[in-house]
């Protein structure tokens, strides 16, 4: 329905628990929210709520929203590089990932 909020695909742990993968849960929730609503339209409080923690707990893992975005993007690059490596065979596999981080020559 139009008036009801969408449910997140990220399963939040019960409030008051401390899962060992909390950082990964935060990254997954942030990635989903940034994708669905756009980076400027997502607050740190909303990300914290998505993983059933308070905003102060979120700041124990990330200094701010910019750092969180950087981690989400890096994780996506690593994931894409791993997927590309599984699709290819041979010595050139690793070089593609390295080239992503290099500046182009002038």
């Amino acid at each position: 329905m139009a008036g009801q909020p969408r449910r997140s695909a990220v399963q939040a742990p019960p409030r008051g628990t401390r899962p060992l993968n909390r950082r990964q849960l935060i990254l997954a929730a942030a990635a989903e929210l940034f994708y669905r609503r756009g980076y400027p339209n997502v607050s740190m409080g909303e990300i914290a709520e998505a993983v059933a923690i308070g905003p102060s707990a979120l700041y124990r893992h990330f200094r701010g929203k910019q750092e969180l975005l950087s981690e989400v993007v890096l994780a996506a690059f690593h994931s894409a590089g791993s997927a590309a490596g599984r699709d290819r065979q041979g010595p050139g596999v690793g070089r593609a990932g390295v080239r992503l981080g290099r500046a182009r020559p002038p």
Side-chain angles (χ1 to χ4, degrees):
M1 288 183 107
Q4 293 189 2
R6 287 187 188 168
R7 295 203 45 102
S8 172
V10 177
Q11 184 66 29
R15 200 171 258 303
T17 62
R18 291 184 181 211
L20 297 175
N21 65 339
R22 182 170 327 260
R23 186 175 175 84
Q24 287 76 25
L25 292 171
I26 294 168
L27 287 169
E32 181 180 331
L33 288 168
F34 293 158
Y35 173 75
R36 279 196 294 127
R37 297 183 39 213
Y39 175 77
N41 302 317
V42 176
S43 72
M44 290 292 275
E46 291 166 325
I47 296 166
E49 184 179 316
V51 292
I53 61 175
S56 61
L58 183 59
Y59 283 100
R60 287 186 204 122
H61 295 276
F62 300 95
R63 282 180 264 163
K65 195 165 95 167
Q66 184 70 41
E67 181 180 334
L68 187 48
L69 176 64
S70 296
E71 292 284 336
V72 166
V73 170
L74 283 173
F77 276 122
H78 288 292
S79 178
S82 294
R86 286 191 301 269
D87 292 341
R88 302 176 117 202
Q89 302 269 334
V93 172
R95 285 183 278 194
V98 172
R99 274 185 254 166
L100 286 174
R102 289 188 190 159
R104 290 182 182 221

